[in-house]
mmCIF file of all heavy atoms in Angstrom:
data_model
loop_
_atom_site.group_PDB
_atom_site.id
_atom_site.type_symbol
_atom_site.label_atom_id
_atom_site.label_comp_id
_atom_site.label_asym_id
_atom_site.label_seq_id
_atom_site.Cartn_x
_atom_site.Cartn_y
_atom_site.Cartn_z
ATOM 1 N N MET A 429 103.208 45.325 40.682
ATOM 2 C CA MET A 429 104.183 44.345 40.190
ATOM 3 C C MET A 429 105.169 43.989 41.297
ATOM 4 O O MET A 429 105.688 44.869 41.977
ATOM 5 C CB MET A 429 104.959 44.950 39.006
ATOM 6 C CG MET A 429 104.162 45.003 37.711
ATOM 7 S SD MET A 429 103.905 43.355 37.000
ATOM 8 C CE MET A 429 105.576 42.946 36.488
ATOM 9 N N TRP A 430 105.429 42.693 41.452
ATOM 10 C CA TRP A 430 106.409 42.262 42.454
ATOM 11 C C TRP A 430 107.810 42.293 41.845
ATOM 12 O O TRP A 430 108.408 41.248 41.584
ATOM 13 C CB TRP A 430 106.086 40.852 42.952
ATOM 14 C CG TRP A 430 104.890 40.789 43.844
ATOM 15 C CD1 TRP A 430 103.689 40.207 43.561
ATOM 16 C CD2 TRP A 430 104.773 41.312 45.173
ATOM 17 N NE1 TRP A 430 102.837 40.350 44.636
ATOM 18 C CE2 TRP A 430 103.471 41.020 45.627
ATOM 19 C CE3 TRP A 430 105.629 42.003 46.019
ATOM 20 C CZ2 TRP A 430 103.022 41.398 46.887
ATOM 21 C CZ3 TRP A 430 105.178 42.381 47.266
ATOM 22 C CH2 TRP A 430 103.893 42.076 47.690
ATOM 23 N N THR A 431 108.275 43.526 41.635
ATOM 24 C CA THR A 431 109.673 43.660 41.242
ATOM 25 C C THR A 431 110.545 43.340 42.448
ATOM 26 O O THR A 431 110.074 43.304 43.589
ATOM 27 C CB THR A 431 109.966 45.098 40.807
ATOM 28 O OG1 THR A 431 109.690 45.964 41.924
ATOM 29 C CG2 THR A 431 109.092 45.506 39.628
ATOM 30 N N ARG A 432 111.831 43.148 42.190
ATOM 31 C CA ARG A 432 112.731 42.901 43.327
ATOM 32 C C ARG A 432 112.709 44.068 44.302
ATOM 33 O O ARG A 432 112.716 43.870 45.512
ATOM 34 C CB ARG A 432 114.163 42.684 42.825
ATOM 35 C CG ARG A 432 114.336 41.322 42.172
ATOM 36 C CD ARG A 432 115.678 41.207 41.471
ATOM 37 N NE ARG A 432 115.754 39.919 40.808
ATOM 38 C CZ ARG A 432 116.565 38.928 41.192
ATOM 39 N NH1 ARG A 432 117.390 39.083 42.192
ATOM 40 N NH2 ARG A 432 116.557 37.780 40.559
ATOM 41 N N ALA A 433 112.678 45.292 43.774
ATOM 42 C CA ALA A 433 112.678 46.462 44.653
ATOM 43 C C ALA A 433 111.389 46.526 45.474
ATOM 44 O O ALA A 433 111.422 46.847 46.666
ATOM 45 C CB ALA A 433 112.841 47.730 43.821
ATOM 46 N N ALA A 434 110.254 46.183 44.838
ATOM 47 C CA ALA A 434 108.978 46.216 45.563
ATOM 48 C C ALA A 434 108.954 45.137 46.640
ATOM 49 O O ALA A 434 108.499 45.370 47.763
ATOM 50 C CB ALA A 434 107.821 46.036 44.589
ATOM 51 N N LEU A 435 109.449 43.944 46.309
ATOM 52 C CA LEU A 435 109.512 42.875 47.310
ATOM 53 C C LEU A 435 110.393 43.284 48.484
ATOM 54 O O LEU A 435 110.054 43.033 49.649
ATOM 55 C CB LEU A 435 110.088 41.599 46.681
ATOM 56 C CG LEU A 435 109.090 40.649 46.040
ATOM 57 C CD1 LEU A 435 109.839 39.591 45.244
ATOM 58 C CD2 LEU A 435 108.204 39.999 47.084
ATOM 59 N N ASP A 436 111.520 43.903 48.163
ATOM 60 C CA ASP A 436 112.444 44.292 49.225
ATOM 61 C C ASP A 436 111.774 45.304 50.157
ATOM 62 O O ASP A 436 111.866 45.193 51.382
ATOM 63 C CB ASP A 436 113.727 44.858 48.627
ATOM 64 C CG ASP A 436 114.819 45.001 49.666
ATOM 65 O OD1 ASP A 436 115.191 43.978 50.284
ATOM 66 O OD2 ASP A 436 115.285 46.132 49.885
ATOM 67 N N GLN A 437 111.062 46.253 49.561
ATOM 68 C CA GLN A 437 110.384 47.269 50.372
ATOM 69 C C GLN A 437 109.276 46.626 51.211
ATOM 70 O O GLN A 437 109.134 46.917 52.402
ATOM 71 C CB GLN A 437 109.802 48.340 49.440
ATOM 72 C CG GLN A 437 109.229 49.528 50.184
ATOM 73 C CD GLN A 437 108.584 50.540 49.234
ATOM 74 O OE1 GLN A 437 108.677 50.419 48.016
ATOM 75 N NE2 GLN A 437 107.934 51.532 49.807
ATOM 76 N N TYR A 438 108.494 45.729 50.593
ATOM 77 C CA TYR A 438 107.392 45.074 51.315
ATOM 78 C C TYR A 438 107.917 44.243 52.468
ATOM 79 O O TYR A 438 107.419 44.330 53.594
ATOM 80 C CB TYR A 438 106.598 44.203 50.348
ATOM 81 C CG TYR A 438 105.347 43.582 50.932
ATOM 82 C CD1 TYR A 438 104.211 44.338 51.168
ATOM 83 C CD2 TYR A 438 105.309 42.220 51.244
ATOM 84 C CE1 TYR A 438 103.063 43.768 51.692
ATOM 85 C CE2 TYR A 438 104.159 41.643 51.768
ATOM 86 C CZ TYR A 438 103.042 42.421 51.991
ATOM 87 O OH TYR A 438 101.907 41.843 52.510
ATOM 88 N N LEU A 439 108.939 43.436 52.205
ATOM 89 C CA LEU A 439 109.438 42.516 53.236
ATOM 90 C C LEU A 439 110.190 43.247 54.347
ATOM 91 O O LEU A 439 110.333 42.722 55.446
ATOM 92 C CB LEU A 439 110.324 41.440 52.590
ATOM 93 C CG LEU A 439 109.542 40.489 51.663
ATOM 94 C CD1 LEU A 439 110.502 39.585 50.903
ATOM 95 C CD2 LEU A 439 108.524 39.660 52.437
ATOM 96 N N THR A 440 110.647 44.474 54.069
ATOM 97 C CA THR A 440 111.275 45.271 55.125
ATOM 98 C C THR A 440 110.228 45.711 56.146
ATOM 99 O O THR A 440 110.479 45.673 57.354
ATOM 100 C CB THR A 440 111.939 46.519 54.512
ATOM 101 O OG1 THR A 440 112.933 46.089 53.584
ATOM 102 C CG2 THR A 440 112.574 47.388 55.588
ATOM 103 N N ALA A 441 109.072 46.110 55.674
ATOM 104 C CA ALA A 441 108.022 46.633 56.562
ATOM 105 C C ALA A 441 106.691 46.577 55.819
ATOM 106 O O ALA A 441 106.244 47.574 55.260
ATOM 107 C CB ALA A 441 108.344 48.064 56.970
ATOM 108 N N PRO A 442 106.058 45.387 55.786
ATOM 109 C CA PRO A 442 104.856 45.214 54.965
ATOM 110 C C PRO A 442 103.798 46.281 55.233
ATOM 111 O O PRO A 442 103.192 46.810 54.297
ATOM 112 C CB PRO A 442 104.339 43.827 55.377
ATOM 113 C CG PRO A 442 105.516 43.108 55.942
ATOM 114 C CD PRO A 442 106.430 44.151 56.494
ATOM 115 N N GLN A 443 103.597 46.623 56.496
ATOM 116 C CA GLN A 443 102.489 47.514 56.824
ATOM 117 C C GLN A 443 102.797 48.971 56.526
ATOM 118 O O GLN A 443 101.881 49.784 56.475
ATOM 119 C CB GLN A 443 102.087 47.314 58.272
ATOM 120 C CG GLN A 443 101.567 45.879 58.442
ATOM 121 C CD GLN A 443 101.197 45.534 59.849
ATOM 122 O OE1 GLN A 443 101.800 46.017 60.800
ATOM 123 N NE2 GLN A 443 100.192 44.688 59.992
ATOM 124 N N GLN A 444 104.071 49.296 56.321
ATOM 125 C CA GLN A 444 104.383 50.661 55.884
ATOM 126 C C GLN A 444 104.135 50.805 54.392
ATOM 127 O O GLN A 444 103.658 51.839 53.924
ATOM 128 C CB GLN A 444 105.840 51.005 56.207
ATOM 129 C CG GLN A 444 106.020 51.406 57.660
ATOM 130 C CD GLN A 444 107.469 51.716 57.992
ATOM 131 O OE1 GLN A 444 108.214 52.187 57.136
ATOM 132 N NE2 GLN A 444 107.863 51.443 59.218
ATOM 133 N N MET A 445 104.469 49.727 53.638
ATOM 134 C CA MET A 445 104.297 49.824 52.188
ATOM 135 C C MET A 445 102.829 49.667 51.795
ATOM 136 O O MET A 445 102.361 50.329 50.862
ATOM 137 C CB MET A 445 105.129 48.757 51.489
ATOM 138 C CG MET A 445 105.048 48.825 49.987
ATOM 139 S SD MET A 445 105.929 47.467 49.244
ATOM 140 C CE MET A 445 105.654 47.790 47.508
ATOM 141 N N VAL A 446 102.122 48.757 52.479
ATOM 142 C CA VAL A 446 100.729 48.474 52.146
ATOM 143 C C VAL A 446 99.893 48.593 53.419
ATOM 144 O O VAL A 446 99.657 47.603 54.114
ATOM 145 C CB VAL A 446 100.570 47.058 51.547
ATOM 146 C CG1 VAL A 446 99.116 46.806 51.148
ATOM 147 C CG2 VAL A 446 101.478 46.862 50.348
ATOM 148 N N PRO A 447 99.472 49.799 53.741
ATOM 149 C CA PRO A 447 98.684 49.986 54.959
ATOM 150 C C PRO A 447 97.449 49.076 54.925
ATOM 151 O O PRO A 447 96.770 48.983 53.907
ATOM 152 C CB PRO A 447 98.284 51.468 54.911
ATOM 153 C CG PRO A 447 99.349 52.112 54.071
ATOM 154 C CD PRO A 447 99.725 51.062 53.049
ATOM 155 N N GLY A 448 97.221 48.363 56.034
ATOM 156 C CA GLY A 448 96.068 47.472 56.104
ATOM 157 C C GLY A 448 96.368 46.047 55.689
ATOM 158 O O GLY A 448 95.509 45.183 55.810
ATOM 159 N N THR A 449 97.584 45.771 55.187
ATOM 160 C CA THR A 449 97.901 44.397 54.809
ATOM 161 C C THR A 449 97.813 43.496 56.029
ATOM 162 O O THR A 449 98.089 43.919 57.160
ATOM 163 C CB THR A 449 99.303 44.272 54.196
ATOM 164 O OG1 THR A 449 99.492 42.916 53.784
ATOM 165 C CG2 THR A 449 100.403 44.634 55.168
ATOM 166 N N ARG A 450 97.429 42.241 55.788
ATOM 167 C CA ARG A 450 97.335 41.282 56.892
ATOM 168 C C ARG A 450 98.687 40.639 57.183
ATOM 169 O O ARG A 450 98.818 39.869 58.115
ATOM 170 C CB ARG A 450 96.296 40.206 56.561
ATOM 171 C CG ARG A 450 94.891 40.766 56.576
ATOM 172 C CD ARG A 450 93.897 39.740 56.124
ATOM 173 N NE ARG A 450 94.147 39.370 54.736
ATOM 174 C CZ ARG A 450 93.638 38.306 54.135
ATOM 175 N NH1 ARG A 450 92.864 37.489 54.808
ATOM 176 N NH2 ARG A 450 93.890 38.056 52.878
ATOM 177 N N MET A 451 99.667 40.927 56.363
ATOM 178 C CA MET A 451 101.008 40.355 56.563
ATOM 179 C C MET A 451 101.714 41.140 57.664
ATOM 180 O O MET A 451 102.062 42.299 57.502
ATOM 181 C CB MET A 451 101.798 40.442 55.264
ATOM 182 C CG MET A 451 103.257 40.123 55.441
ATOM 183 S SD MET A 451 103.606 38.435 54.984
ATOM 184 C CE MET A 451 105.388 38.581 54.870
ATOM 185 N N MET A 452 101.917 40.481 58.808
ATOM 186 C CA MET A 452 102.459 41.144 59.994
ATOM 187 C C MET A 452 103.969 40.965 60.124
ATOM 188 O O MET A 452 104.588 41.563 60.982
ATOM 189 C CB MET A 452 101.835 40.552 61.264
ATOM 190 C CG MET A 452 100.340 40.654 61.310
ATOM 191 S SD MET A 452 99.863 42.356 61.533
ATOM 192 C CE MET A 452 98.134 42.157 61.872
ATOM 193 N N ILE A 453 104.515 40.051 59.323
ATOM 194 C CA ILE A 453 105.889 39.612 59.575
ATOM 195 C C ILE A 453 106.847 40.257 58.585
ATOM 196 O O ILE A 453 106.626 40.183 57.368
ATOM 197 C CB ILE A 453 105.965 38.076 59.494
ATOM 198 C CG1 ILE A 453 105.148 37.503 60.665
ATOM 199 C CG2 ILE A 453 107.398 37.591 59.519
ATOM 200 C CD1 ILE A 453 104.913 36.030 60.595
ATOM 201 N N ALA A 454 107.890 40.918 59.101
ATOM 202 C CA ALA A 454 108.905 41.530 58.261
ATOM 203 C C ALA A 454 110.153 40.643 58.259
ATOM 204 O O ALA A 454 110.297 39.745 59.082
ATOM 205 C CB ALA A 454 109.259 42.912 58.804
ATOM 206 N N ILE A 455 111.036 40.898 57.309
ATOM 207 C CA ILE A 455 112.359 40.272 57.318
ATOM 208 C C ILE A 455 113.355 41.418 57.473
ATOM 209 O O ILE A 455 113.771 42.024 56.484
ATOM 210 C CB ILE A 455 112.638 39.474 56.022
ATOM 211 C CG1 ILE A 455 111.537 38.438 55.773
ATOM 212 C CG2 ILE A 455 114.013 38.801 56.107
ATOM 213 C CD1 ILE A 455 111.707 37.644 54.475
ATOM 214 N N PRO A 456 113.707 41.766 58.714
ATOM 215 C CA PRO A 456 114.520 42.967 58.928
ATOM 216 C C PRO A 456 115.951 42.844 58.413
ATOM 217 O O PRO A 456 116.568 43.866 58.094
ATOM 218 C CB PRO A 456 114.510 43.160 60.453
ATOM 219 C CG PRO A 456 113.888 41.940 61.037
ATOM 220 C CD PRO A 456 113.245 41.143 59.958
ATOM 221 N N ASP A 457 116.464 41.626 58.301
ATOM 222 C CA ASP A 457 117.862 41.444 57.893
ATOM 223 C C ASP A 457 117.987 41.530 56.362
ATOM 224 O O ASP A 457 117.351 40.761 55.632
ATOM 225 C CB ASP A 457 118.353 40.076 58.381
ATOM 226 C CG ASP A 457 119.821 39.875 58.056
ATOM 227 O OD1 ASP A 457 120.662 40.284 58.864
ATOM 228 O OD2 ASP A 457 120.121 39.320 56.974
ATOM 229 N N ALA A 458 118.793 42.470 55.885
ATOM 230 C CA ALA A 458 118.885 42.718 54.434
ATOM 231 C C ALA A 458 119.370 41.481 53.679
ATOM 232 O O ALA A 458 118.908 41.201 52.567
ATOM 233 C CB ALA A 458 119.802 43.904 54.158
ATOM 234 N N GLN A 459 120.313 40.744 54.256
ATOM 235 C CA GLN A 459 120.819 39.547 53.571
ATOM 236 C C GLN A 459 119.727 38.478 53.470
ATOM 237 O O GLN A 459 119.582 37.817 52.439
ATOM 238 C CB GLN A 459 122.041 38.989 54.314
ATOM 239 C CG GLN A 459 122.687 37.803 53.598
ATOM 240 C CD GLN A 459 123.194 38.186 52.202
ATOM 241 O OE1 GLN A 459 123.976 39.105 52.061
ATOM 242 N NE2 GLN A 459 122.739 37.489 51.165
ATOM 243 N N GLN A 460 118.954 38.334 54.546
ATOM 244 C CA GLN A 460 117.868 37.347 54.509
ATOM 245 C C GLN A 460 116.802 37.750 53.491
ATOM 246 O O GLN A 460 116.253 36.891 52.785
ATOM 247 C CB GLN A 460 117.252 37.174 55.900
ATOM 248 C CG GLN A 460 118.197 36.470 56.856
ATOM 249 C CD GLN A 460 117.582 36.227 58.219
ATOM 250 O OE1 GLN A 460 116.456 36.646 58.500
ATOM 251 N NE2 GLN A 460 118.325 35.566 59.078
ATOM 252 N N ARG A 461 116.515 39.052 53.374
ATOM 253 C CA ARG A 461 115.568 39.505 52.339
ATOM 254 C C ARG A 461 116.116 39.201 50.959
ATOM 255 O O ARG A 461 115.408 38.692 50.093
ATOM 256 C CB ARG A 461 115.303 41.011 52.444
ATOM 257 C CG ARG A 461 114.321 41.402 53.511
ATOM 258 C CD ARG A 461 113.789 42.814 53.278
ATOM 259 N NE ARG A 461 114.813 43.819 53.040
ATOM 260 C CZ ARG A 461 115.547 44.390 53.993
ATOM 261 N NH1 ARG A 461 115.373 44.059 55.257
ATOM 262 N NH2 ARG A 461 116.462 45.284 53.687
ATOM 263 N N ALA A 462 117.395 39.503 50.760
ATOM 264 C CA ALA A 462 118.004 39.250 49.443
ATOM 265 C C ALA A 462 117.950 37.758 49.123
ATOM 266 O O ALA A 462 117.676 37.373 47.979
ATOM 267 C CB ALA A 462 119.442 39.763 49.427
ATOM 268 N N ASP A 463 118.192 36.918 50.118
ATOM 269 C CA ASP A 463 118.146 35.463 49.898
ATOM 270 C C ASP A 463 116.733 35.013 49.529
ATOM 271 O O ASP A 463 116.551 34.201 48.611
ATOM 272 C CB ASP A 463 118.618 34.721 51.152
ATOM 273 C CG ASP A 463 120.115 34.871 51.410
ATOM 274 O OD1 ASP A 463 120.847 35.326 50.507
ATOM 275 O OD2 ASP A 463 120.550 34.525 52.522
ATOM 276 N N ALA A 464 115.736 35.539 50.238
ATOM 277 C CA ALA A 464 114.346 35.153 49.955
ATOM 278 C C ALA A 464 113.947 35.593 48.545
ATOM 279 O O ALA A 464 113.306 34.851 47.799
ATOM 280 C CB ALA A 464 113.406 35.771 50.988
ATOM 281 N N ILE A 465 114.351 36.804 48.153
ATOM 282 C CA ILE A 465 114.002 37.334 46.831
ATOM 283 C C ILE A 465 114.736 36.549 45.746
ATOM 284 O O ILE A 465 114.164 36.226 44.700
ATOM 285 C CB ILE A 465 114.301 38.844 46.775
ATOM 286 C CG1 ILE A 465 113.327 39.580 47.714
ATOM 287 C CG2 ILE A 465 114.197 39.382 45.353
ATOM 288 C CD1 ILE A 465 113.721 41.020 48.026
ATOM 289 N N ALA A 466 115.980 36.182 46.000
ATOM 290 C CA ALA A 466 116.733 35.378 45.027
ATOM 291 C C ALA A 466 116.074 34.012 44.866
ATOM 292 O O ALA A 466 115.968 33.489 43.745
ATOM 293 C CB ALA A 466 118.182 35.224 45.475
ATOM 294 N N TYR A 467 115.603 33.452 45.966
ATOM 295 C CA TYR A 467 114.915 32.155 45.874
ATOM 296 C C TYR A 467 113.650 32.283 45.022
ATOM 297 O O TYR A 467 113.403 31.462 44.135
ATOM 298 C CB TYR A 467 114.551 31.623 47.266
ATOM 299 C CG TYR A 467 113.610 30.457 47.162
ATOM 300 C CD1 TYR A 467 114.061 29.226 46.701
ATOM 301 C CD2 TYR A 467 112.245 30.607 47.431
ATOM 302 C CE1 TYR A 467 113.187 28.154 46.530
ATOM 303 C CE2 TYR A 467 111.365 29.552 47.266
ATOM 304 C CZ TYR A 467 111.838 28.327 46.814
ATOM 305 O OH TYR A 467 110.973 27.291 46.640
ATOM 306 N N LEU A 468 112.857 33.329 45.282
ATOM 307 C CA LEU A 468 111.622 33.498 44.512
ATOM 308 C C LEU A 468 111.915 33.610 43.024
ATOM 309 O O LEU A 468 111.148 33.119 42.195
ATOM 310 C CB LEU A 468 110.872 34.748 44.991
ATOM 311 C CG LEU A 468 110.225 34.627 46.373
ATOM 312 C CD1 LEU A 468 109.618 35.950 46.777
ATOM 313 C CD2 LEU A 468 109.190 33.522 46.390
ATOM 314 N N ALA A 469 113.039 34.239 42.683
ATOM 315 C CA ALA A 469 113.387 34.407 41.266
ATOM 316 C C ALA A 469 113.648 33.067 40.589
ATOM 317 O O ALA A 469 113.586 32.973 39.368
ATOM 318 C CB ALA A 469 114.598 35.323 41.131
ATOM 319 N N THR A 470 113.927 32.021 41.367
ATOM 320 C CA THR A 470 114.181 30.702 40.776
ATOM 321 C C THR A 470 112.898 29.922 40.567
ATOM 322 O O THR A 470 112.931 28.832 39.991
ATOM 323 C CB THR A 470 115.097 29.840 41.666
ATOM 324 O OG1 THR A 470 114.368 29.430 42.841
ATOM 325 C CG2 THR A 470 116.351 30.575 42.072
ATOM 326 N N THR A 471 111.764 30.429 41.032
ATOM 327 C CA THR A 471 110.556 29.623 41.047
ATOM 328 C C THR A 471 109.614 29.902 39.886
ATOM 329 O O THR A 471 108.546 29.313 39.809
ATOM 330 C CB THR A 471 109.749 29.837 42.347
ATOM 331 O OG1 THR A 471 109.302 31.188 42.386
ATOM 332 C CG2 THR A 471 110.608 29.549 43.569
ATOM 333 N N GLY A 472 109.994 30.828 39.012
ATOM 334 C CA GLY A 472 109.062 31.096 37.913
ATOM 335 C C GLY A 472 109.515 32.262 37.075
ATOM 336 O O GLY A 472 110.418 32.140 36.283
ATOM 337 N N GLN A 473 108.893 33.397 37.272
ATOM 338 C CA GLN A 473 109.092 34.534 36.384
ATOM 339 C C GLN A 473 110.508 35.037 36.460
ATOM 340 O O GLN A 473 110.950 35.444 37.453
ATOM 341 C CB GLN A 473 108.168 35.670 36.750
ATOM 342 C CG GLN A 473 106.956 35.223 37.488
ATOM 343 C CD GLN A 473 106.007 36.374 37.792
ATOM 344 O OE1 GLN A 473 106.137 37.472 37.284
ATOM 345 N NE2 GLN A 473 105.045 36.122 38.610
HETATM 346 C C1 HEM B 486 108.784 36.158 50.169
HETATM 347 C C2 HEM B 486 108.210 36.218 51.350
HETATM 348 C C3 HEM B 486 106.792 36.689 51.561
HETATM 349 C C4 HEM B 486 105.978 37.464 50.784
HETATM 350 C C5 HEM B 486 106.299 38.118 49.447
HETATM 351 C C6 HEM B 486 104.709 37.569 51.469
HETATM 352 C C7 HEM B 486 103.607 38.261 50.996
HETATM 353 C C8 HEM B 486 102.365 38.254 51.592
HETATM 354 C C9 HEM B 486 101.180 38.851 51.060
HETATM 355 C C10 HEM B 486 101.102 39.627 49.743
HETATM 356 C C11 HEM B 486 100.174 38.618 51.919
HETATM 357 C C12 HEM B 486 98.706 39.030 51.741
HETATM 358 C C13 HEM B 486 98.418 40.266 52.546
HETATM 359 C C14 HEM B 486 96.958 40.693 52.468
HETATM 360 O O1 HEM B 486 96.166 40.080 51.750
HETATM 361 O O2 HEM B 486 96.594 41.657 53.150
HETATM 362 C C15 HEM B 486 100.708 37.867 53.029
HETATM 363 C C16 HEM B 486 99.985 37.440 54.129
HETATM 364 C C17 HEM B 486 100.534 36.817 55.220
HETATM 365 N N1 HEM B 486 101.843 36.431 55.375
HETATM 366 FE FE1 HEM B 486 103.312 36.704 54.046
HETATM 367 N N2 HEM B 486 104.779 36.877 52.644
HETATM 368 C C18 HEM B 486 106.029 36.320 52.744
HETATM 369 C C19 HEM B 486 106.535 35.557 53.769
HETATM 370 C C20 HEM B 486 105.863 35.273 54.943
HETATM 371 C C21 HEM B 486 106.417 34.536 56.036
HETATM 372 C C22 HEM B 486 107.848 33.962 56.072
HETATM 373 C C23 HEM B 486 105.452 34.471 56.973
HETATM 374 C C24 HEM B 486 105.467 33.800 58.303
HETATM 375 C C25 HEM B 486 106.436 33.044 58.775
HETATM 376 C C26 HEM B 486 104.288 35.148 56.475
HETATM 377 C C27 HEM B 486 103.103 35.300 57.128
HETATM 378 C C28 HEM B 486 101.967 35.829 56.607
HETATM 379 C C29 HEM B 486 100.691 35.836 57.276
HETATM 380 C C30 HEM B 486 100.394 35.250 58.655
HETATM 381 C C31 HEM B 486 99.790 36.451 56.411
HETATM 382 C C32 HEM B 486 98.294 36.699 56.651
HETATM 383 C C33 HEM B 486 97.522 35.512 56.162
HETATM 384 C C34 HEM B 486 96.031 35.732 56.352
HETATM 385 O O3 HEM B 486 95.591 35.779 57.485
HETATM 386 O O4 HEM B 486 95.325 35.875 55.354
HETATM 387 N N3 HEM B 486 104.581 35.637 55.236
HETATM 388 N N4 HEM B 486 102.048 37.656 52.802
#
């Protein structure tokens, strides 16, 4: 489930949370992660 906490963990270090993921890009800045997650919350669920 893409909870906010799971998204935050994934976007901090995708390959640590999901070994083997093809997503190479992290969002190291906590505020930028929070902004991205807040945006996603406006798009649906
Ligand atoms: C809310 C932000 C994001 C989320 C939740 C997210 C999530 C994911 C997920 C779940 C995958 C699939 C990984 C896999 O199948 O192994 C993926 C792949 C990928 N993501 Fe992201 N991503 C985000 C933002 C970004 C951004 C901003 C970039 C680049 C600027 C990016 C670049 C990529 C790339 C290059 C892949 C691999 C695509 C491929 O070759 O199949 N992602 N992402």
Side-chain angles (χ1 to χ4, degrees):
M429 285 289 291
W430 287 112
T431 60
R432 286 170 183 249
L435 271 169
D436 192 59
Q437 187 183 353
Y438 186 74
L439 293 172
T440 300
Q443 296 177 327
Q444 280 179 31
M445 182 185 179
V446 183
T449 184
R450 290 175 296 165
M451 169 98 165
M452 302 290 191
I453 294 169
I455 305 178
D457 183 87
Q459 184 61 56
Q460 290 183 356
R461 280 198 310 281
D463 290 346
I465 292 166
Y467 168 72
L468 289 175
T470 71
T471 64
Q473 337 183 11

